[in-house]
Every structure is written in structure tokens, then in C-alpha cells.
Amino acid sequence: PSGEPTEVILFGKNENCNIVDVTKSLHVFEQVGVGLNQNEVFQIALALEKLGASHPLEKIRFWGKILGTKRNYIVAETCYIEGAEEEEEEEEEEIMKEEEKQQQDREGKSGEEDKPPYPSFKPPPLIPSEDVGTGTNKFTYFICSKPGDEWIRLPKVTPLQIVVARQIKKYLTGHLDAQVSSYPPFPGNEGNYLRAQIARISAGTHVSPIGYYQFEEDEEEEEDEEGKNRIIENSEYEPISLEDLISQELSSWVHHAQHILPQGRCTRYMSEKRDGKNSEESEGEESEELEESDSSEREIGPPLLTPLSEDVALDRTPPWTPYLSSRLLPTSAVAVLRSNLWPGAYTISDGKTFENVYIGFGHKYSVIPCNPSLPPTPQEEYPSGPEITEIEDPRPEEEEELKEALEEEQEGEPSEEMEESEEENEEN
Amino acid sequence: MNFVSTCGHILSVEERIILKNSCIILRDENRLEKVQLWGKILGLTSNYFIVQGKGKDLLKDNKIFYSLNGIDWQLLLPTSSEILEKVPYIRGRFTGDPSYHQNVIIVDWEDEGEDKQEQVKEEDRLSAIVTLIDRDTAAVPRGAVLLTPQGEVIRNRSFEGLSFSEATKLHSYLHFRPTSKKSDLKHLRPQADVDVALDFLEPISNDVPQGCWSVQVEEFNTIVLRNWWWPGMTFYHIPATSYYGQLYIGSGEPIMDLPFML
């Protein structure tokens, strides 16, 4: 069903905005056995229009749906028109600052009187998150729990969040500001966790037929890795036959999303400190960490547009299952690629175009049940010895006896020691 | 089918037509009262369709059939307790080949003896998993089935559906399984409307851990229940109508990490 007339009346149309037609693409998914019912699809299409009308966005795509225990998330993947995002961010920041100011004003007078003692421990420097438009923050994601609700923009993802999200496994509740109680502690609320999972799913499952994308032409001028991060649609793309697409070798599919490195970023972040003087800062634990990062420095993920045939299988589970959508009508069928690492992620292609969608619970598949890592062992206590063990204070009689004994001993040779011992006794 | 489609998996038109026709054939061939779709288990190479045939007694006269293509059906034999014991040790997805033998390493927790290695046929595993899912998640709204004086469980023809406020509460849904112990029913709500004919099943609200079921109100007041031990299990009920049902579409593996995840 096409709802264009209604959309125009309701929201007005954003001419610059390119919205991927969700009704059409989900209709194809329906043939495959993946998707949502038609009512919901139509509502989502309307909601995406609304999003396009209210924000300066260049491109909107239905990313998928994540099921939560109390509510669900509908996720839209968007690209801001250049520069527009910063303006919006600034506005938000201003609002935030004002709110903070107000809070400070309220707390102001009472707050500064007694500050708790601040620990002298300095945390290792944080790895900065990637800029908007690159790597894990290439797209901005909007979510809403029901089509028609207000779209909420998810914050940028930080590398630390991705690193921790890899170690935990939680059901989402459906409330963005819900606490994520886990070990290791997750830095942020559920919104951040959702964003980290979205980044991981996108990196793992966004695939396209080979040749659909190509590297940008002027990449040769720039230096190796940096330039290879940009891809554009290949205008001379030749459709691939369905037989190739569903072959078990998977060599005709490539990743078009960047691999996330163990650091939690797509491109390796070089700490500036390491360039010159690291003598002062690299003391104790920090130096170890720096050494570690040094050793993993050359760790570079697979480059963009790597064929899926190089994906690693997870304990006998092949990472992808390709199949054809229809046995009876192979001529009108489409090729389907089901991810086994991220259950719920599907890609379809009829050879000419392709579409990715994720509808699931937001968890990576694991054969072994997750073992939450144990808390670190407590720090060792100061070794107990005679100098710190408590002993009973001597009674006055005993003190007297000791004094006399000492005096007798040192009558012949009076020295400083005696004075000291006397002083000690007085203290006792 | 439309009602559970919010979970993300639906049947394609082709599958729907095939299943509808083959269910009728299956019902007539096996002289069953009713054959309904139970679910779909996603394997690595192919998927299992599973249908449940019901006889006169809804609880006891059950036959389960499976099929890889939706046309040729095989009877799934009831599982044995021996296999039920082994199934929790099996790791990994279903392959989609019923004759595939999977190695199971049975860890001996108590005697610290050597771990035994055995083989389980995938068909047996399928049967066991279906039994387990049924045991854990099969549900009915309270009042939808009746216990007759003869001890038969039949559909309650005068069931008019739960009211909306009742339907959003977990205790108005009952486990559709034979109650194992009489004591399980002791915790019945001390309410005036307890009826021996209706309240012969355990409510699902007592399942552990708390929160392993979730209730959501989807569009048009459809109540959707999800079980988080078995993600993929979706139950729906439309308040004030006698429509209810459930469907499992998933990988056939329980989430063992649930206590950490809620």
C-alpha cells in the first residue's frame, strides 16, 4: 500500500531527504518469511516520513527492530545533511548546559562546603570516540518504541562501550534510561548499550553483493588505510546471478561495513603520548597498558569489502546460511542470507539490489553459555608481621620491672638508647 | 499468524499455502480432530516445520509431526527420559538433517569421573526439545479449557475471552501441561472464583526467575506474551474474544544465561 498522499498532508515533504521505501523492501522480506505484519510496516513507513520532516536528514533507512522485555525498539539509520548535525548537537548541548547550571545553582551553596577526599588514582586515558560520519559513528540512529511515537536520537557510541558490550549479554527492557546492571560494569544506560549493540550488529551483518560498492576513486592520493574507508555505489555494477548468490562458498557477498577492532574503534587510535616523552607517564600499570597497546598496534581488521568466505566460523556453526526464498517459483525468488552469528539479521538480494534488516533480540549467538567474568581478586593486604600486629599494652608493674632491668644493664654505659626507651615507655 | 508477526518472523505466502493444505491432509489421514501449526525450528541448512495434532483430549491425545519442506510429514515419537537427560548437554544449532548424529559430552558433575561421550540423533533431540518447549511455555488463558468429570480436558465452548485488565496480568494464563504434583495447585489464588473445572492448571506467573514472561500490548489491543527462556515463543490473546494461540519460531535452544540477563 502506498500512502504518499496522506504523508504529504500530514507532515509536508522534505525534498532533500532520501527515504528508503520500507513498504517495498519489507514486502520482499515477507516472501522470505522475515518481517512484520503489513499494518506495522505501513505505520513504520509513516513514522519514517515524520522523522524526515522533523530533522535535517539526508538519508533514512529502516534498520530493524529489537525486541525488549517491556517495549520494543524500532530503529532507523540516518545520515545528517553535512553540518546540520553539529547545529542540532550544539543546541542540545546548550540545553544541557543550562540544565546543569540550574542544577548547580540549586546545589551551589551547600555543595562546595565539604568535598569528600578525592582518590589520587588517575584512570588510564580514555580512547576518544570516532567522529560522526566515520567508523562506528558513521550513521546516526533514531529509535522509537512504537510507530508514531517521538523519535529519539541515540548518543554517539564510545569505544569503551563497545568493548564492554562484547563481554556482557543482557535483555533490553525497552526503556532507554534503564540501568544496565552487569559485570563488568557498563558505562552508560540502556540507550548506550543499545547503540553499542547496533554498531556491532551493523559491522557484523551489513553485507552486499560483490561489486555493488567500490572504493572511492581519489583514494590513491591519500595514504593507504585512511583512504579505503570510503566507498561509493558502483555505477557499472553488473547484476550477479542468483546461483552465485546462494552458493555455499559465499564469495559473491562482501562486507560493506567496517570491522570493529578490539579497541572498539574502526580505525586504530594512536595515543599522542607515545610519540615523544612517555618516560614520566608510563609508570607502574600504565606502562604495561601502553606496551600492550603497542603490541596490538599493528592489528588491523579485515579491509572493507572483504568477501564473506573469509568470515570465521564459530565452533562448527557456519556464520551464514544462504538459501532461495521459494522452491516452487525460482524465477521470481530472491536470494536470502541468514546470519547465524547474529540471529535475526537477514540480507536479501535479487542480484541487482540488496537489503539488510535485523529483527531480533540484539544478542550475538554463542555456543557456550556466557560466563560473566568474575570480579578481579582483591588487592593483597600488607603482609602481616610483628611490626604491625597488635599486642597488649604492658601493665604498670611490668613496665616498672622492665625499667629497672634496663637501668641495671646500662648503668655502666649510659647511652641514647636508654633515653629513647624511656620516651617510648612514657608514650605507652 | 498475523497476531504473532510482531516478533519478526512470519511465514511467506508460499509456506502458508503449503502448510494449510498439508495440515488438512494430515488431519484426515491420521483421524485427528485438529491439526495446528506448532512452530518452526531454524536449522543451519534447512528448517523444521512442526505441527501438532490434537485428539479428543487436548492434553493427552497429542501427536507431533515434523517436516523439512512442509509437504512430507514424519511422526515425531514421544521422547524418552533418557534423551531428555542428555539434551541439556547438547550445544550448537540444529543442522536440518534428522539423521545427523551429534556428539554429546556428558559431564559427570558428582563423581568427578571421566566425561562420557555419547551420540544423539537429531530427530530424538528435536522430539525432546519440542517436549521441553511445550512443558515450559504452552499456555492457555484461564477458562479456555475445561476438565470434565471423566478427567478429559476439552475446549471450553463458552469461553468468551479475558477482560482487558485481566489479560494484561500473568496470573490469568495457565501452563497447558499435566500438573505434576497436587501440591503445585495449593498456591491457587485464594479467590472466590476458583473453579475446579477451570483451575486445574498452574498459572505461569509462578515461573522462575521472575520476569521470564513478558506481557506487551500490541496494536489493536492484542496481548502478546513472550517467554525469555525460549526466545521465539510468542503467545497472543485478543481480549474479549476466544482467539488465542502461540507459535515458536527460533533456533530451538534455551537461553541458559537468563538469570544474568534480566
Side-chain angles (χ1 to χ4, degrees):
Chain A
S2 153
E4 273 170 43
T6 359
E7 285 158 11
V8 175
I9 298 163
L10 279 176
F11 313 113
K13 208 140 186 159
N14 186 348
E15 292 294 328
N16 308 321
C17 184
N18 170 21
I19 300 175
V20 178
D21 189 357
V22 65
T23 49
K24 213 186 274 171
S25 61
L26 280 182
H27 176 70
V28 185
F29 272 110
E30 197 188 325
Q31 294 175 25
V32 181
V34 184
L36 307 164
N37 67 29
Q38 288 178 349
N39 297 337
E40 201 172 352
V41 169
F42 185 67
Q43 286 173 19
I44 291 172
L46 285 178
L48 292 180
E49 286 290 335
K50 187 179 162 192
L51 177 66
S54 56
H55 294 269
L57 300 169
E58 198 176 356
K59 200 178 167 193
I60 302 179
R61 191 179 78 87
F62 175 62
W63 184 87
K65 182 175 176 181
I66 293 188
L67 305 172
T69 55
K70 299 202 176 72
R71 290 193 301 185
N72 306 324
Y73 291 117
I74 290 163
V75 185
E77 186 183 79
T78 64
C79 256
Y80 269 94
I81 297 169
E82 266 178 53
E85 163 141 36
E86 285 149 25
E87 283 170 27
E88 253 186 40
E89 266 185 8
E90 277 167 21
E91 277 171 29
E92 274 174 28
E93 272 172 24
E94 273 172 27
I95 297 170
M96 289 276 280
K97 274 180 192 168
E98 274 174 27
E99 277 174 12
E100 272 176 28
K101 262 187 191 175
Q102 284 174 359
Q103 268 200 345
Q104 279 178 356
D105 288 344
R106 263 177 254 144
E107 291 167 6
K109 286 151 200 167
S110 61
E112 284 181 19
E113 274 173 11
D114 36 39
K115 275 184 185 171
Y118 197 74
S120 57
F121 171 73
K122 272 183 199 166
L126 278 180
I127 303 162
S129 53
E130 282 163 302
D131 290 338
V132 175
T134 56
T136 47
N137 286 318
K138 189 175 179 191
F139 298 105
T140 313
Y141 293 90
F142 283 84
I143 61 108
C144 67
S145 58
K146 223 184 266 171
D149 282 6
E150 202 63 39
W151 287 94
I152 303 164
R153 194 176 67 177
L154 289 178
K156 280 202 289 185
V157 66
T158 64
L160 184 63
Q161 282 163 359
I162 290 186
V163 171
V164 178
R166 280 189 173 133
Q167 296 167 27
I168 63 175
K169 193 175 177 186
K170 294 281 290 183
Y171 272 126
L172 293 155
T173 62
H175 295 279
L176 276 180
D177 40 9
Q179 208 184 350
V180 180
S181 50
S182 65
Y183 190 83
F186 185 77
N189 56 18
E190 190 173 298
N192 300 106
Y193 178 59
L194 175 68
R195 181 66 186 80
Q197 289 299 78
I198 290 175
R200 293 178 63 205
I201 293 170
S202 303
T205 66
H206 279 185
V207 294
S208 56
I210 195 164
Y212 191 85
Y213 286 111
Q214 63 180 21
F215 293 116
E216 224 166 358
E217 289 289 316
D218 41 319
E219 120 210 6
E220 288 157 20
E221 294 166 16
E222 295 172 41
E223 284 298 297
D224 44 12
E225 296 143 41
E226 294 291 312
K228 278 194 183 172
N229 297 335
R230 260 178 252 136
I231 47 169
I232 49 166
E233 272 179 44
N234 186 353
S235 50
E236 293 155 19
Y237 168 65
E238 284 170 23
I240 293 177
S241 70
L242 287 179
E243 287 85 44
D244 286 344
L245 286 177
I246 60 164
S247 80
Q248 291 293 332
E249 284 155 18
L250 295 168
S251 50
S252 47
W253 293 91
V254 292
H255 282 283
H256 68 260
Q258 275 182 302
H259 181 81
I260 303 179
L261 295 172
Q263 197 188 33
R265 285 166 59 100
C266 291
T267 47
R268 175 116 199 120
Y269 169 69
M270 310 284 200
S271 149
E272 288 167 13
K273 280 178 193 168
R274 225 178 307 123
D275 296 342
K277 33 185 176 174
N278 53 0
S279 53
E280 288 178 15
E281 281 132 1
S282 60
E283 279 174 24
E285 291 174 9
E286 273 186 37
S287 69
E288 280 170 30
E289 273 171 29
L290 279 176
E291 274 164 31
E292 270 175 36
S293 60
D294 271 343
S295 61
S296 62
E297 188 185 332
R298 289 191 189 82
E299 202 173 296
I300 292 165
L304 219 50
L305 303 185
T306 311
L308 296 189
S309 44
E310 289 176 22
D311 278 12
V312 190
L314 186 89
D315 192 28
R316 285 175 307 168
T317 312
W320 299 93
T321 304
Y323 60 100
L324 207 59
S325 69
S326 170
R327 280 190 313 275
L328 304 179
L329 274 174
T331 44
S332 66
V334 289
V336 190
L337 201 58
R338 188 171 71 202
S339 171
N340 292 327
L341 293 187
W342 292 98
Y346 289 84
T347 300
I348 49 168
S349 173
D350 58 353
K352 295 182 207 94
T353 54
F354 73 97
E355 204 68 52
N356 295 308
V357 81
Y358 179 87
I359 303 175
F361 298 89
H363 296 142
K364 190 166 183 165
Y365 177 75
S366 60
V367 180
I368 308 152
C370 104
N371 287 317
S373 52
L374 294 171
T377 46
Q379 278 192 330
E380 261 186 46
E381 285 182 18
Y382 193 81
S384 62
E387 65 269 21
I388 60 157
T389 33
E390 272 183 39
I391 45 167
E392 273 185 38
D393 282 347
R395 282 173 298 170
E397 297 95 55
E398 285 173 348
E399 254 176 54
E400 292 284 308
E401 278 174 27
L402 188 74
K403 252 187 188 177
E404 279 170 19
L406 281 174
E407 274 169 15
E408 274 170 30
E409 252 181 47
Q410 295 170 351
E411 257 181 356
E413 29 181 335
S415 70
E416 293 165 10
E417 280 176 35
M418 203 186 97
E419 283 163 25
E420 272 177 24
S421 67
E422 272 178 6
E423 274 168 26
E424 272 174 28
N425 284 339
E426 276 161 22
E427 275 169 27
N428 285 340
Chain B
M1 184 61 219
N2 254 329
F3 300 118
V4 295
S5 58
T6 45
C7 70
H9 285 279
I10 51 177
L11 296 177
S12 66
V13 182
E14 183 182 314
E15 289 171 333
R16 239 177 286 170
I17 292 170
I18 291 176
L19 286 174
K20 220 170 203 174
N21 286 318
S22 66
C23 277
I24 294 172
I25 299 170
L26 202 63
R27 187 189 68 192
D28 295 345
E29 279 178 355
N30 290 285
R31 293 187 194 144
L32 293 162
E33 297 256 310
K34 195 179 165 195
V35 171
Q36 62 189 36
L37 183 65
W38 182 90
K40 187 173 165 186
I41 288 183
L42 307 173
L44 288 177
T45 49
S46 49
N47 307 325
Y48 293 100
F49 290 104
I50 291 164
V51 295
Q52 201 171 32
K54 299 218 165 176
K56 211 175 170 195
D57 188 326
L58 293 178
L59 209 50
K60 283 172 200 154
D61 305 339
N62 264 344
K63 275 182 181 169
I64 293 169
F65 300 88
Y66 76 92
S67 161
L68 288 168
N69 53 12
I71 299 166
D72 310 315
W73 294 94
Q74 305 280 330
L75 184 68
L76 205 55
L77 297 171
T79 180
S80 64
S81 58
E82 197 182 320
I83 290 167
L84 272 181
E85 273 172 26
K86 287 180 202 163
V87 157
Y89 295 102
I90 305 179
R91 301 258 176 269
R93 295 273 298 266
F94 281 90
T95 58
D97 175 12
S99 56
Y100 177 79
H101 280 80
Q102 197 154 24
N103 285 332
V104 193
I105 298 166
I106 295 176
V107 185
D108 209 341
W109 294 107
E110 285 164 12
D111 305 338
E112 291 180 8
E114 279 183 21
D115 300 345
K116 286 178 277 179
Q117 194 164 21
E118 289 176 34
Q119 285 201 324
V120 171
K121 205 176 160 193
E122 185 154 298
E123 194 178 3
D124 296 335
R125 183 187 172 197
L126 186 68
S127 164
I129 285 289
V130 171
T131 316
L132 282 179
I133 295 180
D134 248 359
R135 191 195 69 193
D136 287 350
T137 66
V140 286
R142 181 174 172 269
V145 290
L146 276 178
L147 182 67
T148 62
Q150 288 83 27
E152 280 181 338
V153 179
I154 56 162
R155 192 166 71 87
N156 184 1
R157 283 176 196 281
S158 58
F159 176 62
E160 287 178 331
L162 302 168
S163 71
F164 183 77
S165 60
E166 280 276 292
T168 50
K169 293 184 182 87
L170 274 184
H171 64 68
S172 23
Y173 299 92
L174 309 171
H175 271 299
F176 194 58
R177 64 183 180 204
T179 34
S180 36
K181 284 172 273 166
K182 275 272 188 286
S183 60
D184 286 343
L185 296 177
K186 271 187 183 168
H187 49 240
L188 273 179
R189 293 161 294 152
Q191 278 183 7
D193 63 344
V194 168
D195 187 332
V196 190
L198 298 181
D199 290 310
F200 60 100
L201 301 166
E202 297 163 59
I204 62 172
S205 52
N206 292 328
D207 285 4
V208 280
Q210 237 181 22
C212 71
W213 286 90
S214 75
V215 190
Q216 286 184 5
V217 183
E218 303 272 342
E219 52 173 350
F220 309 128
N221 281 352
T222 311
I223 307 287
V224 170
L225 266 64
R226 293 207 174 87
N227 186 287
W228 299 101
W229 282 112
W230 299 94
M233 171 54 79
T234 317
F235 176 93
Y236 78 90
H237 174 57
I238 306 174
T241 68
S242 57
Y243 290 114
Y244 69 92
Q246 64 191 131
L247 191 72
Y248 178 82
I249 300 185
S251 64
E253 289 171 291
I255 293 284
M256 303 305 284
D257 315 328
L258 187 71
F260 300 116
M261 289 168 63
L262 287 174

